[in-house]
């Protein structure tokens, strides 16, 4: 197998996106388009990738520089000119070079590998990936001779009536003999409607020099989808989401309503998990086996251990332990950890808090900056008062503690093992093991107080 290289064209502004963000940094399936393209290409085992940047070059470079060499196309003079920017790095290399677009994120690893293999086996100077399109408008047309060989690619604005009717289109992906690519680019001119240097013009140049110009037609047109506006962005997300969902279902995950389930490309889900409608799983989330995610759940960059049940809740950058139950309407903010069989219930919020095995916080509670032991019961309306206006402070609760309803725990404070806070207390000092803390004013009853109120006279007058 010959050495393999790749060039990703990611210099365009994308004016139709109407965005301050470079087009290739818009996300599909939870990753930027250029990341999707780059990661897919790297998975094929290429020796080197060069990404051509231009508009907002610093932003795109920051996104890919740890995995790709980067060159800048300062002036937007066409695809041929963009590829030429990689010449100082690649022009002298021997091998095959895959050229892809940073705004075409749906090509699969298998397609790229098949393109390389077909090119190498056929002995082509260049192999262009093509597809059949129901509506080819806007795409470059593949013009073949009577024997089926590729003559040239004609862009939409340069196509005559006959050429415009051709339904085989250029996907924008090519595999070139690397040295022939850069030799041909030196002969490309800008004599066209746009006044640009077109990469496809190299095909006719190579053909006229008696080199073989071939084509590899892919089966799924959707892979070739380019994203030029927000409509296409939504369509690309839909295609990739369907692809992701189908793969998870094949792997043993039950999706009750696949059309309304949103799973990012890097999410991992084990078999026998059940996911209801309108669930959103984002980032690097990992869902283990036998988990139930009910409708409306949203999980970001989190780990959900086996056998847990998440009911209509939001979880961010946190860990939910095995057989735990969360929700409904709970919110786990970053750096929270819920232990084995623990329960976080209705309208409970955690932030940077760790709950031990079998600990329960049933409802209407805020737990921030806390380490809580096992078998602790946290009553309704409990608030961990962790912020003094300038700094966050930590609370520690020992095993089997019982936190009475409406307790305020003012950090920093430590409650030992098997301690109790009386309902309605404001705890400001440590409580030693096995002790109960009471911190509330003594109740005093004012007899016949109702009769002193103006409203009492109002009701007396109404009765008369």
């Amino acid at each position: 197998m010959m050495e393999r290289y790749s060039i990703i064209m990611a210099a365009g502004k994308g004016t139709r996106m109407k965005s301050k963000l470079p087009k290739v940094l818009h996300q599909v399936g939870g990753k930027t388009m250029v990341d999707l393209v780059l990661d897919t290409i790297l998975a094929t085992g290429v020796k080197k990738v060069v990404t051509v940047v231009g508009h907002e070059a610093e932003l795109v470079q920051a996104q890919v520089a740890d995995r790709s060499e980067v060159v800048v196309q300062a002036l937007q003079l066409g695809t041929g000119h963009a590829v030429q920017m990689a010449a100082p790095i690649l022009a002298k290399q021997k091998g095959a070079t895959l050229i892809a677009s940073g705004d075409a994120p749906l090509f699969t690893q298998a397609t790229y590998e098949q393109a390389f293999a077909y090119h190498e086996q056929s002995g082509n100077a260049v192999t262009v990936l093509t597809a059949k399109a129901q509506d080819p408008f806007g795409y470059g047309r593949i013009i073949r001779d009577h024997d089926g060989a590729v003559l040239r690619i004609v862009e939409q604005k340069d196509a005559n009536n006959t050429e415009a009717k051709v339904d085989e289109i250029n996907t924008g992906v090519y595999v070139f003999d690397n040295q022939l690519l850069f030799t041909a680019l030196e002969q490309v001119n800008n004599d066209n409607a746009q006044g640009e240097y077109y990469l496809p013009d190299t095909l006719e140049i190579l053909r006229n020099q008696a080199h073989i110009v071939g084509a590899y037609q892919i089966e799924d047109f959707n892979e070739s989808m380019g994203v030029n506006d927000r409509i296409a962005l939504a369509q690309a997300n839909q295609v990739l989401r369907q692809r992701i969902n189908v793969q998870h279902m094949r792997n043993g995950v039950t999706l009750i309503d696949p059309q309304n389930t949103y799973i990012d490309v890097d999410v991992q889900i084990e078999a026998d998990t059940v996911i209801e409608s309108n669930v959103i799983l984002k980032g690097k989330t990992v869902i283990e086996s036998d988990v139930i995610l009910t409708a409306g759940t949203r999980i970001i960059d989190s780990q959900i251990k086996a056998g847990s049940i998440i009911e209509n809740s939001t979880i961010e950058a946190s860990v939910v332990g095995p057989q735990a139950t969360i929700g409904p309407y709970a919110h786990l903010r970053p750096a929270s950890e819920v232990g084995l069989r623990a329960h976080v219930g209705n309208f409970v919020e955690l932030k940077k808090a760790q709950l031990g095995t079998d600990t329960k916080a049933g409802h209407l509670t805020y737990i921030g900056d806390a380490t809580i032991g096992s078998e602790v019961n946290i009553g309704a309306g409990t608030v961990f008062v962790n912020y003094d206006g300038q700094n966050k402070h930590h609370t520690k609760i020992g095993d089997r503690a019982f936190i009475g309803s409406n307790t305020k725990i003012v950090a920093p404070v430590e409650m030992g093992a098997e301690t109790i806070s009386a309902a309605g207390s404001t705890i400001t000092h440590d409580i030693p093991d096995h002790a109960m803390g009471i911190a509330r004013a003594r109740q005093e009853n004012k007899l016949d107080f109702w009769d002193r109120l103006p409203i009492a006279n109002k009701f007396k007058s109404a009765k008369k």
Side-chain angles (χ1 to χ4, degrees), residues 32-268:
T32 69
M33 291 191 284
V34 71
D35 273 323
L36 285 171
V37 175
L38 177 55
D39 288 348
T40 304
I41 289 173
L42 288 172
T44 68
V46 296
K47 184 176 181 179
K48 185 176 295 185
V49 179
V50 179
T51 301
V52 183
V53 302
H55 177 67
E56 298 288 356
E58 297 82 2
L59 294 177
V60 182
Q61 182 169 350
Q63 192 70 28
V64 304
D66 60 330
R67 292 160 292 156
S68 169
E69 297 200 42
V70 176
V71 294
V72 178
Q73 183 189 24
L75 299 176
Q76 309 296 294
L77 300 179
T79 54
H81 181 257
V83 174
Q84 187 68 31
M85 297 300 100
I89 298 173
L90 294 181
K92 295 181 180 180
Q93 303 299 323
K94 292 183 178 180
T97 295
L98 173 78
I99 298 177
S101 297
D103 61 0
L106 299 179
F107 286 101
T108 65
Q109 178 183 341
T111 293
Y112 285 147
E113 289 175 341
Q114 289 161 9
F116 269 125
Y118 179 84
H119 176 80
E120 292 167 2
Q121 293 165 8
S122 65
N124 294 338
V126 54
T127 301
V128 56
L129 266 66
T130 71
K132 289 283 189 177
Q134 289 185 342
D135 179 10
F137 183 83
Y139 290 92
R141 308 306 202 279
I142 302 297
I143 308 302
R144 296 177 181 263
D145 63 18
H146 295 296
D147 298 323
V150 177
L151 289 173
R152 61 189 180 278
I153 299 174
V154 179
E155 299 299 322
Q156 176 71 45
K157 292 184 178 182
D158 299 311
N160 59 36
N161 291 337
T162 300
E163 293 167 337
K165 294 178 182 178
V166 173
D167 65 354
E168 185 181 15
I169 59 93
N170 175 22
T171 68
V173 174
Y174 310 82
V175 183
F176 279 87
D177 174 282
N178 187 70
Q179 292 185 336
L180 290 176
L181 165 65
F182 289 101
T183 299
L185 281 172
E186 294 175 356
Q187 301 170 55
V188 172
N189 61 51
N190 63 348
D191 185 18
N192 52 62
Q194 293 292 96
E196 295 183 349
Y197 297 89
Y198 290 152
L199 177 62
D201 287 353
T202 58
L203 275 64
E204 190 168 4
I205 291 169
L206 291 170
R207 180 179 173 82
N208 290 338
Q209 295 173 353
H211 294 293
I212 301 173
V213 176
Y216 178 76
Q217 189 175 112
I218 63 174
E219 294 182 3
D220 184 2
F221 172 76
N222 284 331
E223 285 194 44
S224 68
M225 183 183 299
V227 175
N228 293 310
D229 57 25
R230 306 289 181 137
I231 297 169
L233 184 67
Q235 292 170 340
N237 268 289
Q238 186 176 23
V239 169
L240 186 55
R241 185 170 69 245
Q242 181 180 16
R243 187 188 296 173
I244 291 168
N245 289 354
V246 166
Q247 189 59 51
H248 284 302
M249 289 187 285
R250 286 175 175 163
N251 291 340
V253 177
T254 296
L255 302 185
I256 302 300
D257 183 8
Q259 296 302 315
N260 293 292
T261 302
Y262 306 87
I263 304 174
D264 280 357
V265 67
D266 286 335
V267 171
Q268 301 176 43

Side-chain angles (χ1 to χ4, degrees), residues 171-378:
T171 68
V173 174
Y174 310 82
V175 183
F176 279 87
D177 174 282
N178 187 70
Q179 292 185 336
L180 290 176
L181 165 65
F182 289 101
T183 299
L185 281 172
E186 294 175 356
Q187 301 170 55
V188 172
N189 61 51
N190 63 348
D191 185 18
N192 52 62
Q194 293 292 96
E196 295 183 349
Y197 297 89
Y198 290 152
L199 177 62
D201 287 353
T202 58
L203 275 64
E204 190 168 4
I205 291 169
L206 291 170
R207 180 179 173 82
N208 290 338
Q209 295 173 353
H211 294 293
I212 301 173
V213 176
Y216 178 76
Q217 189 175 112
I218 63 174
E219 294 182 3
D220 184 2
F221 172 76
N222 284 331
E223 285 194 44
S224 68
M225 183 183 299
V227 175
N228 293 310
D229 57 25
R230 306 289 181 137
I231 297 169
L233 184 67
Q235 292 170 340
N237 268 289
Q238 186 176 23
V239 169
L240 186 55
R241 185 170 69 245
Q242 181 180 16
R243 187 188 296 173
I244 291 168
N245 289 354
V246 166
Q247 189 59 51
H248 284 302
M249 289 187 285
R250 286 175 175 163
N251 291 340
V253 177
T254 296
L255 302 185
I256 302 300
D257 183 8
Q259 296 302 315
N260 293 292
T261 302
Y262 306 87
I263 304 174
D264 280 357
V265 67
D266 286 335
V267 171
Q268 301 176 43
I269 310 174
E270 293 184 0
D272 291 319
T273 281
V274 177
I275 301 177
E276 295 182 356
S277 179
N278 291 315
V279 168
I280 299 173
L281 305 178
K282 299 182 70 64
K284 302 286 187 180
T285 291
V286 177
I287 310 292
E288 292 188 359
S289 61
D290 301 296
V291 169
I292 297 175
L293 306 178
T294 74
T297 291
R298 186 169 186 263
I299 302 176
I300 305 166
D301 292 322
S302 297
Q303 297 180 47
I304 312 299
K305 301 294 185 179
S308 294
I309 300 174
I310 315 297
E311 295 187 70
N312 194 13
S313 296
T314 296
I315 300 174
E316 307 170 76
S318 295
V319 178
V320 175
Q323 303 172 52
T325 53
I326 308 294
Y329 311 114
H331 185 186
L332 273 59
R333 291 167 58 193
S336 294
E337 186 170 348
V338 178
L340 172 68
R341 295 187 302 274
H343 173 63
V344 177
N346 303 273
F347 303 104
V348 174
E349 180 178 353
L350 270 60
K351 178 261 178 188
K352 201 176 180 181
Q354 290 77 48
L355 273 61
T357 299
D358 292 317
T359 285
K360 296 176 174 59
H363 28 250
L364 303 166
T365 290
Y366 171 70
I367 305 172
D369 293 276
T371 301
I372 300 172
S374 300
E375 301 179 83
V376 174
N377 186 84
I378 301 171

